[in-house]
Amino acid sequence: MKVLVLLALVAIAAAWPNLGFQADGAGVSDAQKQHDVNFLLHKIYGEIRDSNLKAKADSFDPEADLSHYSDDGAAVQKLMRDLKDHRLLEQKHWFSLFNPRQRQEALMLFDVLIHCKDWNTFVSNAAYFRQRMNEGEFVYALYVAVIHSPLAEHVVLPPLYEVTPHLFTNSEVIEAAYRAKQTQTPGKFQSSFTGTKKNPEQRVAYFGEDIGMNTHHVTWHMEFPFWWQDSYSHHPDRKGENFFWVHHQLTVRFDAERLSNYLDPVGELHWDKPIVQGFAPHTTYKYGGQFPSRPDNVDFEDVDGVARIRDLLIVESRIRDAIAHGYIVDRAGNRIDIMNERGINVLGDIIESSMYSPNVQYYGALHNTAHIVLGRQADPRGKYALPPGVLEHFETATRDPSFFRLHKYMDNIFKEHKDSLPPYTKEQLTFNGVSIENLSVDGELETFFEDFEYSLINAVDGTKEIQDVEISTYVPRLNHKDFAYNIEITNNNDKEVLTTVRIFAWPHRDNNGIEYTFDEGRWNSIELDKFWVKLSPGSNHIVRKSSESAVTVPDVPSFDTLFKKTEAALGGADSGLTEFESATGIPNRFLLPKGNEQGLEFDLVVAVTDGEADAAIDGLHENTEFNHYGAHGKYPDNRPHGYPLDRKVPDNRVFEDLPNFKHIQVKVFNHGEHIHHH
């Protein structure tokens, strides 16, 4: 099994001491659980298509036996009271996690599911509330519960773009799907990216609008929700730092895609300057009309009931002030030192802000508020009763070019902190007796586009009586040809040593053809891989395939594949789904930026560091149980994300003279190839 450690996530059944959970779900097989989840998320706007689950939904009484809940039924009684009092959002209505009441309702259901002691109680509640609660709230609660509940450890969640296709698919294609359903004609419809050639931003829409990128973003926010509290079950390790790192990587990757397409890197958003790029989403809510558009050059306006622009400026200056001082002031007035490698974690909690912010009254919730404020600029006074904007859903946020401008703005605040820390010294970076003799790449680094097909069967309303017809769309997606890194390392020690191999790349020049300095480059570096290996004494030849990258995950299997593999597994076959249990990395197809016809130059660097010193846990190299959870909730690498390139480098000779560091130039080509699969 692949060691997926990069965005290590935190929850493993073994880390749940005595919560009274039945580890095996009282004898329920993983295949049965997978079957149940498939059907719970299929056709969410209609009847449950599985007779067993439908029977549970009709006859189950959630309050009949409270001994099945680890909180003695407190959560289920609370939710049932609101249900009986008709206080819950109706079905067939939009849902946004950033709407406080709607979020509260979704979390009430999550609270019920996370406290179920056995699978039968879990699945019965899910079926029962699916029939009675808003569909969007249900999908969110079930996804987060499956990710975090030890009962569902091996369940693979279906791709959200097939569960709620409206959030991922252009309106024109959805309309074609409805026509196909009405006329009972199967159809495959081509999706294109939003906008026209007149808009330069359209050149990079393949990144922000990619269904896999959108899935990565929404899944990460489900693995590390901003509303999470330890009382739900466990403490997510390094949550604030992970928030910084995952969005930093999205930002630098987006810039590399822009350079590949002859565009300047993204500029940051300023509250007191116009939002230069408008956005017309061309997407429609299943219920609630079109996503609002925003014209070019709009000035920021206060959003009624959410925030004044002035407040955001004040909160920003308080955060920057804390960075300049090198400490945060907590609620009780105590100082928390951030001038160390864990300071970034505190800062991430504050900027997002999560429930772990030491002083939310003072430092606010810059990121979450900004998403809403930016999303509402089409209707800041609420005059037109428009539904939420794309930035108010993690599924759709990266579609709006202003998403990356907003995150560049936050990224620069994080950079201010990182640049205030003392640079690493030669002594700190040296790995005694270990040197990289040679670094090369096997195979040309080449990207191409290929058509990717997904089903729209859940976009259209259906009943059991009317036959489902095959309706799908295909959309061009970036991919790359397979390649491998060749790394020759000499270990001059007379014993085996454990080492961490860290691989990064950054664009060699800016859009004007000017070379980046080492210090500019390292901040823009894309993390390509990180893995552990034991070096024997003498020379070691390491070949690492692009498909093995720890920062990436494969495409999520379609509903169709999940149904087939689950039925086979119920019949005793191996489901073959293990590698899909985590969807938290970026899609492997996006490992390399697009590059261009001439070959976009990149600096490829490899650092090999002391594995014993880096390890947060034992047995790094032979432990295949890491998967996406880390080991027992600990993130396996003790070093800060991005190490050793995470601090400023006033003198690049410190790196260039290091025996355990290697730096070469490579080119990434794109020859305009587009593979059609139909």
Side-chain angles (χ1 to χ4, degrees):
M1 173 164 185
K2 195 165 95 180
V3 183
L4 265 182
V5 287
L6 178 76
L7 288 170
L9 308 169
V10 276
I12 202 160
W16 300 70
N18 334 322
L19 284 181
F21 288 103
Q22 286 150 295
D24 63 346
V28 180
S29 70
D30 284 334
Q32 182 58 47
K33 293 178 183 182
Q34 183 69 52
H35 169 94
D36 290 343
V37 171
N38 292 348
F39 277 98
L40 283 170
L41 288 164
H42 191 47
K43 295 272 175 197
I44 56 159
Y45 296 102
E47 297 274 287
I48 299 177
R49 296 289 180 98
D50 177 78
S51 52
N52 184 18
L53 289 173
K54 180 77 182 87
K56 283 179 162 56
D58 292 338
S59 63
F60 181 66
D61 174 2
E63 296 177 287
D65 183 354
L66 299 179
S67 72
H68 285 282
Y69 303 98
S70 57
D71 64 348
D72 301 323
V76 81
Q77 287 176 315
K78 187 174 161 196
L79 180 56
M80 288 298 286
R81 194 158 48 239
D82 276 14
L83 178 67
K84 286 169 186 163
D85 293 346
H86 304 290
R87 293 197 48 195
L88 300 177
L89 179 65
E90 71 265 26
Q91 293 195 326
K92 313 221 180 316
H93 185 288
W94 55 261
F95 159 71
S96 166
L97 188 66
F98 285 111
N99 176 301
R101 173 62 192 173
Q102 293 180 3
R103 176 170 71 245
Q104 186 189 357
E105 291 179 12
L107 296 192
M108 283 161 77
L109 176 54
F110 167 74
D111 213 8
V112 170
L113 297 173
I114 202 74
H115 287 107
C116 294
K117 286 187 188 176
D118 57 83
W119 184 255
N120 188 44
T121 308
F122 183 99
V123 79
S124 303
N125 272 295
Y128 178 88
F129 288 108
R130 167 177 152 152
Q131 279 197 176
R132 291 161 180 84
M133 282 180 74
N134 172 271
E135 301 86 352
E137 292 181 352
F138 167 77
V139 169
Y140 183 78
L142 183 60
Y143 264 76
V144 183
V146 165
I147 288 169
H148 292 280
S149 168
L151 294 172
E153 198 190 342
H154 300 297
V155 171
V156 175
L157 284 158
L160 273 163
Y161 47 81
E162 288 194 345
V163 177
T164 49
H166 280 73
L167 293 175
F168 298 88
T169 314
N170 284 8
S171 314
E172 297 80 2
V173 172
I174 297 282
E175 283 161 25
Y178 274 110
R179 284 196 296 277
K181 175 76 180 186
Q182 277 154 359
T183 57
Q184 289 285 291
T185 324
K188 283 186 191 187
F189 307 104
Q190 182 173 1
S191 283
S192 54
F193 295 114
T194 305
T196 66
K197 292 251 167 51
K198 288 181 181 162
N199 178 4
E201 291 297 317
Q202 211 249 350
R203 294 183 217 162
V204 285
Y206 66 83
F207 185 86
E209 291 185 23
D210 182 76
I211 51 173
M213 268 305 169
N214 298 147
T215 302
H216 157 60
H217 187 228
V218 69
T219 306
W220 187 87
H221 281 281
M222 288 172 165
E223 296 271 8
F224 291 98
F226 63 81
W227 47 262
W228 188 268
Q229 302 176 66
D230 289 5
S231 57
Y232 285 121
S233 58
H234 60 277
H235 180 71
D237 195 27
R238 293 167 65 173
K239 182 171 181 295
E241 185 186 8
N242 284 337
F243 169 77
F244 150 66
W245 184 248
V246 77
H247 292 94
H248 173 68
Q249 283 296 300
L250 273 180
T251 305
V252 298
R253 282 178 169 279
F254 186 60
D255 278 347
E257 300 298 348
R258 294 178 71 84
L259 290 170
S260 299
N261 290 281
Y262 310 100
L263 295 170
D264 284 327
V266 111
E268 64 174 6
L269 218 53
H270 290 282
W271 299 118
D272 43 9
K273 294 199 184 121
I275 311 164
V276 180
Q277 260 80 27
F279 182 58
H282 286 265
T283 36
T284 311
Y285 284 96
K286 183 154 172 73
Y287 301 105
Q290 301 198 334
F291 275 88
S293 296
R294 180 185 65 246
D296 287 350
N297 299 308
V298 173
D299 284 319
F300 273 108
E301 285 191 51
D302 297 343
V303 176
D304 286 7
V306 176
R308 294 175 304 194
I309 299 304
R310 183 175 83 218
D311 299 335
L312 289 165
L313 286 163
I314 290 169
V315 159
E316 177 197 334
S317 77
R318 287 173 179 173
I319 293 169
R320 298 186 103 121
D321 201 43
I323 290 168
H325 280 301
Y327 62 82
I328 300 287
V329 178
D330 74 11
R331 239 169 255 172
N334 303 312
R335 291 183 179 186
I336 300 172
D337 177 23
I338 56 170
M339 292 297 289
N340 54 57
E341 60 182 25
R342 294 292 177 244
I344 187 79
N345 194 46
V346 182
L347 212 53
D349 285 333
I350 278 175
I351 288 175
E352 183 174 24
S353 78
S354 70
M355 304 300 283
Y356 300 99
S357 169
N359 195 344
V360 77
Q361 279 79 4
Y362 186 70
Y363 297 109
L366 187 58
H367 167 263
N368 295 351
T369 312
H371 263 269
I372 304 172
V373 167
L374 198 46
R376 295 278 171 88
Q377 287 305 305
D379 185 19
R381 299 270 97 82
K383 271 169 41 180
Y384 309 107
L386 293 181
V390 290
L391 283 147
E392 295 173 74
H393 303 273
F394 291 126
E395 290 93 332
T396 52
T398 61
R399 289 174 154 259
D400 187 333
S402 69
F403 169 86
F404 294 103
R405 285 162 183 75
L406 173 66
H407 276 282
K408 178 64 74 91
Y409 155 78
M410 313 233 187
D411 203 49
N412 286 341
I413 298 177
F414 283 122
K415 183 176 194 295
E416 240 170 78
H417 161 70
K418 281 286 195 177
D419 284 355
S420 73
L421 298 170
Y424 295 117
T425 61
K426 192 165 180 190
E427 293 69 53
Q428 286 172 306
L429 295 170
T430 304
F431 185 7
N432 284 330
V434 173
S435 57
I436 306 178
E437 307 302 332
N438 201 16
L439 166 63
S440 63
V441 173
D442 267 352
E444 187 176 59
L445 299 176
E446 188 188 333
T447 67
F448 57 92
F449 282 90
E450 63 178 346
D451 287 338
F452 183 89
E453 189 180 342
Y454 64 95
S455 167
L456 295 178
I457 209 158
N458 287 338
V460 297
D461 298 316
T463 57
K464 288 201 282 288
E465 293 70 54
I466 305 174
Q467 188 63 42
D468 283 329
V469 291
E470 291 295 318
I471 308 169
S472 61
T473 180
Y474 56 94
V475 60
R477 297 186 68 191
L478 188 67
N479 206 343
H480 56 85
K481 304 208 163 147
D482 284 338
F483 64 94
Y485 312 95
N486 273 313
I487 313 168
E488 313 255 354
I489 306 177
T490 304
N491 169 16
N492 290 316
N493 299 294
D494 49 13
K495 58 177 196 312
E496 269 196 333
V497 292
L498 177 65
T499 181
T500 317
V501 181
R502 304 163 187 275
I503 308 179
F504 300 92
W506 65 76
H508 189 61
R509 300 168 194 276
D510 70 12
N511 199 30
N512 297 317
I514 298 167
E515 279 189 31
Y516 284 118
T517 64
F518 189 97
D519 192 47
E520 290 165 333
R522 61 96 205 162
W523 179 255
N524 291 313
S525 64
I526 291 167
E527 182 165 29
L528 292 172
D529 207 348
K530 171 163 65 179
F531 59 96
W532 289 275
V533 64
K534 278 216 161 152
L535 300 174
S536 334
S539 58
N540 294 259
H541 182 83
I542 294 165
V543 178
R544 176 79 169 179
K545 294 185 190 141
S546 56
S547 57
E548 296 174 303
S549 169
V551 305
T552 66
V553 292
D555 291 323
V556 187
S558 65
F559 253 127
D560 194 42
T561 304
L562 284 174
F563 279 131
K564 285 181 178 138
K565 292 198 169 204
T566 306
E567 294 321 301
L570 284 170
D574 173 25
S575 74
L577 292 172
T578 321
E579 64 172 315
F580 304 109
E581 282 173 22
S582 165
T584 308
I586 62 157
N588 184 269
R589 50 175 63 249
F590 277 95
L591 181 64
L592 291 181
K594 174 177 158 266
N596 57 33
E597 190 66 59
Q598 284 73 45
L600 189 67
E601 284 182 280
F602 280 86
D603 291 67
L604 180 70
V605 304
V606 172
V608 295
T609 59
D610 182 345
E612 294 299 335
D614 298 342
I617 52 168
D618 296 331
L620 278 174
H621 61 292
E622 68 256 307
N623 189 335
T624 55
E625 287 305 302
F626 279 126
N627 60 42
H628 53 304
Y629 288 131
H632 300 284
K634 271 298 275 179
Y635 187 77
D637 180 18
N638 240 331
R639 301 290 181 190
H641 286 315
Y643 176 85
L645 302 175
D646 60 311
R647 295 194 184 183
K648 67 171 192 274
V649 181
D651 180 358
N652 56 323
R653 286 172 303 189
V654 170
F655 278 92
E656 302 299 3
D657 299 344
L658 270 187
N660 52 321
F661 181 82
K662 199 80 178 159
H663 181 177
I664 63 170
Q665 252 90 51
V666 295
K667 285 183 175 175
V668 179
F669 291 92
N670 180 291
H671 300 304
E673 184 182 358
H674 185 153
I675 299 169
H676 300 282
H677 288 309
H678 44 277

